[in-house]
Structure formats: structure tokens, C-alpha cells
Amino acid sequence: MTVRREAARTLAAAGVPSPDFDADELLAHVLGTTRSRLPYEPDLTPAQTQAYDVLVARRAAREPLQHLTGTAAFRHVELAVGPGVFVPRPETELLAGWAVEQAQAVVDTGRVPVVVDLCTGSGAIALSVATEVPAAEVHAVELGEPAHAWAARNLTGSGVDLRHGDMADAFPDLEGTVDVVVCNPPYIPLEAFESVAPEARDHDPELALFSGDDGLVAMRILERVAARLLRPVGVVGAEHADVQGESAPAVFAATGCCSGVRDHRDLAGRPRFLTARLAR
Ligand SMILES: C[S@@+](CC[C@H](N)C(=O)[O-])C[C@H]1O[C@@H](n2cnc3c(N)ncnc32)[C@H](O)[C@@H]1O
């Protein structure tokens, strides 16, 4: 389709990282179909062409693709997303997968796993665990008001216990009982503001991105919260920036709260998340 080729060229010229994929996704959105069905679709009507042009222009202005389609795919679930909530990223699927495995391991011992997703944002990790390990008891907390509203929408009917508040003092009722604490906290140093992609810098909430001068302020809070919530030998997993492959695990190693602190790489070989076990 000519219109689709032109759209991809426009997006490439605007510096969009995956112009062909995004042009296809937006076209599929306008046609109410999927990317794989595009070859079988008839030409766009004039009204559809106009709608497509508007979406391509907004994407060229670096609005996130997921804000334009209204959804983000994450593992086996679809999340509703838009202004006010962090768009879940593919790299976080690895951390969510780790949480799923840890919860399933508890199920395999004959117990109901208690899982807490701190900083839940859209609810992506909590919904994945609840969907993939239906026996799990899943709790989630989010501080940002708009993000909490998106999470409430995404988690409706999932059975997840969603709360609104600061992870620092969340879940006093669960202290010492949690099997798996999982968290994708904000972790970008304040000074790195300029280097953040426009989609994130201009559209993800600040609360979701930045975490003090070294990007580890939320990680230090998370370490204390995990130590408070975990049952003996419970586990914690946390995502971090690729440049924090040593500094983020060091937060957990420094206090002696945990044993077996180790870091995990993503599919591109970059340091991506740490895991540790409560040493008690
Ligand atoms: C990087 S986003 C991750 C969202 C989601 N877990 C995901 O992976 O897509 C971090 C989230 O933590 C929330 N947040 C930041 N500080 C928090 C705090 N002290 N307590 C609870 N949530 C917090 C932000 O509002 C944001 O939604």
C-alpha cells in the first residue's frame, strides 16, 4: 500500500526507531485488524486515510505508539494505556517471567504463593502473575493517581488486591508473609533527563522515570520494603538500568538483608534485573 510506505518514510524521517512496524501497527489500528491480516485488507476509505494521516503525524511528533492505539501487549496480556501511566516495556517481560516462575515454584510445593508488585504502573507485572499463576494471591501498589486509575481499570476482575499509596509504607498487613516481591521502580538519574527518548521524557510520568541523583533512591527504599515484607527465604526481583548492573545489586548486598544477590541479563546481553533471597 502506497499510503503505508509513505507513512513509514515519514516516521523514519522523524527518527522513530521502528518506522515499518509502527506504520503497520497504526494501519492495523485504523482498519480494526491485526498486522498479520494487513495483506488481505481492502484499500483505505477516504475517512480511514484521513484518520491514518493524523495518527502518523502524531507518531512522527513522537507520541508513543501505545498511546495512539490505546493498548500495550505484555507477555500474555493487553493493558489499556494512555497519558498518566508508564507504558510497559518488552524488557520487563523477563522480570515478570521470573516472578511467574517463583510463584509457580511455591504452588508446586502445595502452598498458595503471596506475590507483591511494588510500583505497579499499568498493572502489567501483577496481571501477568495473576493470569499465568491463577492460584497466586497477588497484591499491587501504585503511588501516582492517574497511574493507579489505569491499574484499577486493567486489574478489574483479575483478583489482584490493588492499593493506592507509597511503597515505602505499603502492606503493613503483609509483613513477614510474602513469597515474592517484584518491582520495576523508577531508576533514571535526574541528570540523564536529556538522554531519555522523547516518547518517555514527554509522555511517561516523571514519577515513573527518575529516582534521584544516582537513579537508585527508589531501589534503596525497595530493599527496605522487601526486607520488611518477605517471609524467611522469600525472594525479591527488581529491574534496573543497564548501567546499574553492579550498583543496583550492591544496594541489596550492602545491608546484609539478603543472600544470593545476583544480576540477570536481557536478551540483548545487557544487565537488566537483580534477584535476592531474604537471609533469615
Ligand atoms: C518504571 S514504572 C513501572 C510500572 C510497571 N511496573 C511496569 O513495569 O510497566 C514505575 C512506577 O512506579 C510508580 N512509583 C514511583 N514511586 C513510587 C512509590 N514510592 N510507591 C509506589 N509507586 C511508585 C510510578 O508512578 C510508576 O508507575
Side-chain angles (χ1 to χ4, degrees), residues 244-266:
Q244 295 167 341
E246 289 181 10
S247 57
V251 169
F252 284 74
T255 65
C257 79
C258 300
S259 62
V261 183
R262 58 172 291 229
D263 206 57
H264 305 252
R265 290 177 181 262
D266 62 22

PDB file of all heavy atoms in Angstrom, residues 244-266:
ATOM      1  N   GLN A 244      23.410  -0.081  35.677  1.00  0.00           N
ATOM      2  CA  GLN A 244      23.362  -0.330  37.127  1.00  0.00           C
ATOM      3  C   GLN A 244      23.560  -1.813  37.472  1.00  0.00           C
ATOM      4  O   GLN A 244      23.127  -2.286  38.510  1.00  0.00           O
ATOM      5  CB  GLN A 244      22.016   0.157  37.695  1.00  0.00           C
ATOM      6  CG  GLN A 244      21.839   1.675  37.592  1.00  0.00           C
ATOM      7  CD  GLN A 244      20.406   2.135  37.846  1.00  0.00           C
ATOM      8  OE1 GLN A 244      19.465   1.347  37.762  1.00  0.00           O
ATOM      9  NE2 GLN A 244      20.245   3.412  38.145  1.00  0.00           N
ATOM     10  N   GLY A 245      24.221  -2.558  36.547  1.00  0.00           N
ATOM     11  CA  GLY A 245      24.410  -3.999  36.752  1.00  0.00           C
ATOM     12  C   GLY A 245      25.232  -4.331  37.983  1.00  0.00           C
ATOM     13  O   GLY A 245      25.151  -5.445  38.503  1.00  0.00           O
ATOM     14  N   GLU A 246      26.031  -3.368  38.464  1.00  0.00           N
ATOM     15  CA  GLU A 246      26.780  -3.596  39.706  1.00  0.00           C
ATOM     16  C   GLU A 246      26.213  -2.772  40.851  1.00  0.00           C
ATOM     17  O   GLU A 246      26.081  -3.262  41.974  1.00  0.00           O
ATOM     18  CB  GLU A 246      28.252  -3.245  39.498  1.00  0.00           C
ATOM     19  CG  GLU A 246      28.922  -4.273  38.602  1.00  0.00           C
ATOM     20  CD  GLU A 246      30.389  -3.999  38.382  1.00  0.00           C
ATOM     21  OE1 GLU A 246      30.964  -3.118  39.055  1.00  0.00           O
ATOM     22  OE2 GLU A 246      30.953  -4.672  37.508  1.00  0.00           O
ATOM     23  N   SER A 247      25.833  -1.519  40.558  1.00  0.00           N
ATOM     24  CA  SER A 247      25.397  -0.635  41.648  1.00  0.00           C
ATOM     25  C   SER A 247      24.048  -1.044  42.236  1.00  0.00           C
ATOM     26  O   SER A 247      23.833  -0.911  43.449  1.00  0.00           O
ATOM     27  CB  SER A 247      25.345   0.817  41.171  1.00  0.00           C
ATOM     28  OG  SER A 247      24.491   0.940  40.038  1.00  0.00           O
ATOM     29  N   ALA A 248      23.121  -1.579  41.405  1.00  0.00           N
ATOM     30  CA  ALA A 248      21.807  -1.967  41.952  1.00  0.00           C
ATOM     31  C   ALA A 248      21.913  -3.214  42.844  1.00  0.00           C
ATOM     32  O   ALA A 248      21.432  -3.195  43.984  1.00  0.00           O
ATOM     33  CB  ALA A 248      20.805  -2.172  40.812  1.00  0.00           C
ATOM     34  N   PRO A 249      22.583  -4.304  42.397  1.00  0.00           N
ATOM     35  CA  PRO A 249      22.762  -5.433  43.312  1.00  0.00           C
ATOM     36  C   PRO A 249      23.513  -5.027  44.581  1.00  0.00           C
ATOM     37  O   PRO A 249      23.244  -5.575  45.666  1.00  0.00           O
ATOM     38  CB  PRO A 249      23.580  -6.431  42.476  1.00  0.00           C
ATOM     39  CG  PRO A 249      23.275  -6.092  41.062  1.00  0.00           C
ATOM     40  CD  PRO A 249      23.060  -4.605  41.032  1.00  0.00           C
ATOM     41  N   ALA A 250      24.432  -4.060  44.465  1.00  0.00           N
ATOM     42  CA  ALA A 250      25.204  -3.627  45.633  1.00  0.00           C
ATOM     43  C   ALA A 250      24.299  -3.052  46.721  1.00  0.00           C
ATOM     44  O   ALA A 250      24.609  -3.153  47.912  1.00  0.00           O
ATOM     45  CB  ALA A 250      26.255  -2.599  45.217  1.00  0.00           C
ATOM     46  N   VAL A 251      23.166  -2.461  46.319  1.00  0.00           N
ATOM     47  CA  VAL A 251      22.213  -1.928  47.306  1.00  0.00           C
ATOM     48  C   VAL A 251      21.721  -3.058  48.214  1.00  0.00           C
ATOM     49  O   VAL A 251      21.594  -2.897  49.424  1.00  0.00           O
ATOM     50  CB  VAL A 251      21.018  -1.247  46.596  1.00  0.00           C
ATOM     51  CG1 VAL A 251      19.898  -0.930  47.571  1.00  0.00           C
ATOM     52  CG2 VAL A 251      21.471   0.002  45.854  1.00  0.00           C
ATOM     53  N   PHE A 252      21.490  -4.235  47.614  1.00  0.00           N
ATOM     54  CA  PHE A 252      20.978  -5.371  48.388  1.00  0.00           C
ATOM     55  C   PHE A 252      22.104  -6.095  49.123  1.00  0.00           C
ATOM     56  O   PHE A 252      21.906  -6.629  50.211  1.00  0.00           O
ATOM     57  CB  PHE A 252      20.223  -6.341  47.464  1.00  0.00           C
ATOM     58  CG  PHE A 252      18.864  -5.835  47.096  1.00  0.00           C
ATOM     59  CD1 PHE A 252      18.707  -4.798  46.186  1.00  0.00           C
ATOM     60  CD2 PHE A 252      17.730  -6.367  47.689  1.00  0.00           C
ATOM     61  CE1 PHE A 252      17.453  -4.306  45.870  1.00  0.00           C
ATOM     62  CE2 PHE A 252      16.471  -5.881  47.382  1.00  0.00           C
ATOM     63  CZ  PHE A 252      16.331  -4.846  46.466  1.00  0.00           C
ATOM     64  N   ALA A 253      23.295  -6.114  48.525  1.00  0.00           N
ATOM     65  CA  ALA A 253      24.418  -6.817  49.153  1.00  0.00           C
ATOM     66  C   ALA A 253      24.926  -6.041  50.371  1.00  0.00           C
ATOM     67  O   ALA A 253      25.401  -6.640  51.333  1.00  0.00           O
ATOM     68  CB  ALA A 253      25.534  -7.011  48.138  1.00  0.00           C
ATOM     69  N   ALA A 254      24.770  -4.696  50.337  1.00  0.00           N
ATOM     70  CA  ALA A 254      25.398  -3.851  51.355  1.00  0.00           C
ATOM     71  C   ALA A 254      24.785  -4.028  52.740  1.00  0.00           C
ATOM     72  O   ALA A 254      25.488  -3.934  53.749  1.00  0.00           O
ATOM     73  CB  ALA A 254      25.303  -2.388  50.936  1.00  0.00           C
ATOM     74  N   THR A 255      23.482  -4.290  52.820  1.00  0.00           N
ATOM     75  CA  THR A 255      22.823  -4.255  54.127  1.00  0.00           C
ATOM     76  C   THR A 255      22.810  -5.610  54.823  1.00  0.00           C
ATOM     77  O   THR A 255      22.477  -5.705  55.998  1.00  0.00           O
ATOM     78  CB  THR A 255      21.357  -3.815  53.970  1.00  0.00           C
ATOM     79  OG1 THR A 255      20.687  -4.824  53.208  1.00  0.00           O
ATOM     80  CG2 THR A 255      21.255  -2.470  53.278  1.00  0.00           C
ATOM     81  N   GLY A 256      23.115  -6.670  54.077  1.00  0.00           N
ATOM     82  CA  GLY A 256      23.088  -7.999  54.685  1.00  0.00           C
ATOM     83  C   GLY A 256      21.686  -8.567  54.836  1.00  0.00           C
ATOM     84  O   GLY A 256      21.484  -9.615  55.439  1.00  0.00           O
ATOM     85  N   CYS A 257      20.691  -7.871  54.273  1.00  0.00           N
ATOM     86  CA  CYS A 257      19.303  -8.350  54.368  1.00  0.00           C
ATOM     87  C   CYS A 257      19.115  -9.653  53.620  1.00  0.00           C
ATOM     88  O   CYS A 257      18.318 -10.500  53.989  1.00  0.00           O
ATOM     89  CB  CYS A 257      18.315  -7.326  53.812  1.00  0.00           C
ATOM     90  SG  CYS A 257      18.220  -7.310  51.991  1.00  0.00           S
ATOM     91  N   CYS A 258      19.931  -9.794  52.549  1.00  0.00           N
ATOM     92  CA  CYS A 258      19.634 -10.851  51.584  1.00  0.00           C
ATOM     93  C   CYS A 258      20.863 -11.684  51.267  1.00  0.00           C
ATOM     94  O   CYS A 258      21.998 -11.231  51.410  1.00  0.00           O
ATOM     95  CB  CYS A 258      19.121 -10.221  50.291  1.00  0.00           C
ATOM     96  SG  CYS A 258      17.635  -9.260  50.533  1.00  0.00           S
ATOM     97  N   SER A 259      20.601 -12.891  50.809  1.00  0.00           N
ATOM     98  CA  SER A 259      21.694 -13.736  50.342  1.00  0.00           C
ATOM     99  C   SER A 259      21.485 -13.988  48.843  1.00  0.00           C
ATOM    100  O   SER A 259      20.413 -13.727  48.309  1.00  0.00           O
ATOM    101  CB  SER A 259      21.714 -15.055  51.106  1.00  0.00           C
ATOM    102  OG  SER A 259      20.497 -15.742  50.860  1.00  0.00           O
ATOM    103  N   GLY A 260      22.504 -14.551  48.198  1.00  0.00           N
ATOM    104  CA  GLY A 260      22.382 -14.937  46.791  1.00  0.00           C
ATOM    105  C   GLY A 260      22.007 -13.787  45.884  1.00  0.00           C
ATOM    106  O   GLY A 260      21.256 -13.986  44.924  1.00  0.00           O
ATOM    107  N   VAL A 261      22.506 -12.597  46.173  1.00  0.00           N
ATOM    108  CA  VAL A 261      22.206 -11.455  45.288  1.00  0.00           C
ATOM    109  C   VAL A 261      22.892 -11.698  43.951  1.00  0.00           C
ATOM    110  O   VAL A 261      24.095 -11.923  43.893  1.00  0.00           O
ATOM    111  CB  VAL A 261      22.729 -10.121  45.882  1.00  0.00           C
ATOM    112  CG1 VAL A 261      22.335  -8.969  44.976  1.00  0.00           C
ATOM    113  CG2 VAL A 261      22.210  -9.916  47.289  1.00  0.00           C
ATOM    114  N   ARG A 262      22.102 -11.690  42.877  1.00  0.00           N
ATOM    115  CA  ARG A 262      22.721 -11.870  41.557  1.00  0.00           C
ATOM    116  C   ARG A 262      22.004 -11.039  40.512  1.00  0.00           C
ATOM    117  O   ARG A 262      20.859 -10.617  40.716  1.00  0.00           O
ATOM    118  CB  ARG A 262      22.756 -13.344  41.146  1.00  0.00           C
ATOM    119  CG  ARG A 262      21.416 -14.039  41.093  1.00  0.00           C
ATOM    120  CD  ARG A 262      21.566 -15.435  40.497  1.00  0.00           C
ATOM    121  NE  ARG A 262      21.887 -15.363  39.080  1.00  0.00           N
ATOM    122  CZ  ARG A 262      21.241 -16.058  38.150  1.00  0.00           C
ATOM    123  NH1 ARG A 262      20.266 -16.878  38.479  1.00  0.00           N
ATOM    124  NH2 ARG A 262      21.561 -15.930  36.875  1.00  0.00           N
ATOM    125  N   ASP A 263      22.711 -10.802  39.438  1.00  0.00           N
ATOM    126  CA  ASP A 263      22.134  -9.977  38.379  1.00  0.00           C
ATOM    127  C   ASP A 263      21.837 -10.829  37.151  1.00  0.00           C
ATOM    128  O   ASP A 263      22.466 -11.861  36.925  1.00  0.00           O
ATOM    129  CB  ASP A 263      23.087  -8.836  38.019  1.00  0.00           C
ATOM    130  CG  ASP A 263      22.310  -7.672  37.441  1.00  0.00           C
ATOM    131  OD1 ASP A 263      21.391  -7.181  38.127  1.00  0.00           O
ATOM    132  OD2 ASP A 263      22.573  -7.282  36.290  1.00  0.00           O
ATOM    133  N   HIS A 264      20.838 -10.394  36.358  1.00  0.00           N
ATOM    134  CA  HIS A 264      20.410 -11.145  35.177  1.00  0.00           C
ATOM    135  C   HIS A 264      20.468 -10.226  33.965  1.00  0.00           C
ATOM    136  O   HIS A 264      20.130  -9.053  34.051  1.00  0.00           O
ATOM    137  CB  HIS A 264      18.962 -11.639  35.349  1.00  0.00           C
ATOM    138  CG  HIS A 264      18.758 -12.448  36.585  1.00  0.00           C
ATOM    139  ND1 HIS A 264      18.565 -13.809  36.577  1.00  0.00           N
ATOM    140  CD2 HIS A 264      18.723 -12.088  37.893  1.00  0.00           C
ATOM    141  CE1 HIS A 264      18.414 -14.252  37.814  1.00  0.00           C
ATOM    142  NE2 HIS A 264      18.504 -13.216  38.633  1.00  0.00           N
ATOM    143  N   ARG A 265      20.854 -10.806  32.825  1.00  0.00           N
ATOM    144  CA  ARG A 265      20.939 -10.028  31.593  1.00  0.00           C
ATOM    145  C   ARG A 265      19.690 -10.213  30.748  1.00  0.00           C
ATOM    146  O   ARG A 265      18.993 -11.229  30.872  1.00  0.00           O
ATOM    147  CB  ARG A 265      22.172 -10.456  30.792  1.00  0.00           C
ATOM    148  CG  ARG A 265      23.439 -10.023  31.488  1.00  0.00           C
ATOM    149  CD  ARG A 265      24.706 -10.468  30.806  1.00  0.00           C
ATOM    150  NE  ARG A 265      25.832  -9.994  31.601  1.00  0.00           N
ATOM    151  CZ  ARG A 265      26.521  -8.883  31.339  1.00  0.00           C
ATOM    152  NH1 ARG A 265      26.247  -8.176  30.268  1.00  0.00           N
ATOM    153  NH2 ARG A 265      27.497  -8.479  32.127  1.00  0.00           N
ATOM    154  N   ASP A 266      19.415  -9.230  29.870  1.00  0.00           N
ATOM    155  CA  ASP A 266      18.268  -9.367  28.961  1.00  0.00           C
ATOM    156  C   ASP A 266      18.715 -10.072  27.680  1.00  0.00           C
ATOM    157  O   ASP A 266      19.861 -10.500  27.544  1.00  0.00           O
ATOM    158  CB  ASP A 266      17.599  -8.006  28.688  1.00  0.00           C
ATOM    159  CG  ASP A 266      18.543  -7.013  28.011  1.00  0.00           C
ATOM    160  OD1 ASP A 266      19.531  -7.450  27.382  1.00  0.00           O
ATOM    161  OD2 ASP A 266      18.275  -5.805  28.102  1.00  0.00           O
TER     162      ASP A 266
END
